[in-house]
């Protein structure tokens, strides 16, 4: 018996360092570019494993990208969220908004 596994395309974005007011706009633009490309994946995964800190501007960049992904019918998820970053998502209740793996 032949089994076929159809997996949607996956785009992984891996920011590094701090996501703060200094670089949040640039980070948001990179995510926006990845989301609006015609040949883009149906799933966009932001790997936060190398992110050391995040502030409100970084969180807003992620929220904006999530809203854009929803409007385009794409899936937007977060992964490798460190315990210190996860606390920020929990305090802001954004852990209820994002799919975090």
């Amino acid at each position: 018996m032949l089994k076929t596994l159809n997996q949607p395309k996956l785009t992984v974005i891996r920011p590094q360092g701090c996501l703060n007011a200094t670089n949040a706009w640039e980070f948001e633009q990179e995510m926006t570019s990845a989301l609006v490309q015609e040949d883009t994946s149906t799933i966009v995964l932001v790997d936060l494993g190398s992110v050391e800190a995040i502030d409100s501007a970084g969180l807003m960049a992620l929220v904006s990208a999530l809203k854009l992904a929803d409007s385009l019918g794409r899936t937007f998820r977060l992964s490798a969220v460190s315990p210190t970053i996860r606390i920020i998502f929990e305090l802001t209740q954004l852990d209820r908004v994002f799919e975090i793996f």
Side-chain angles (χ1 to χ4, degrees):
M1 177 187 311
L2 179 65
K3 290 187 178 182
T4 304
L5 180 61
N6 293 326
Q7 294 181 336
K9 291 184 180 179
L10 174 68
T11 298
V12 179
I13 300 171
R14 291 186 175 104
Q16 297 179 350
C18 297
L19 293 178
N20 54 31
T22 305
N23 59 11
W25 186 82
E26 180 182 334
F27 175 55
E28 183 177 344
Q29 293 305 308
E30 290 173 11
M31 290 187 294
T32 299
S33 294
L35 286 165
V36 299
Q37 290 178 8
E38 291 280 333
D39 63 342
T40 195
S41 306
T42 56
I43 298 175
V44 175
L45 178 71
V46 179
D47 180 347
L48 297 175
S50 297
V51 173
E52 300 165 3
I54 189 167
D55 71 0
S56 61
L59 292 174
M60 278 308 302
L62 289 169
V63 170
S64 295
L66 176 64
K67 287 181 179 181
L68 178 60
D70 284 344
S71 71
L72 296 172
R74 297 195 180 21
T75 302
F76 188 85
R77 296 179 176 158
L78 306 177
S79 71
V81 179
S82 71
T84 55
I85 302 293
R86 184 174 277 279
I87 289 170
I88 294 168
F89 280 90
E90 291 171 357
L91 288 172
T92 58
Q93 297 186 354
L94 287 173
D95 61 323
R96 299 178 185 181
V97 175
F98 288 99
E99 289 185 65
I100 302 175
F101 296 94

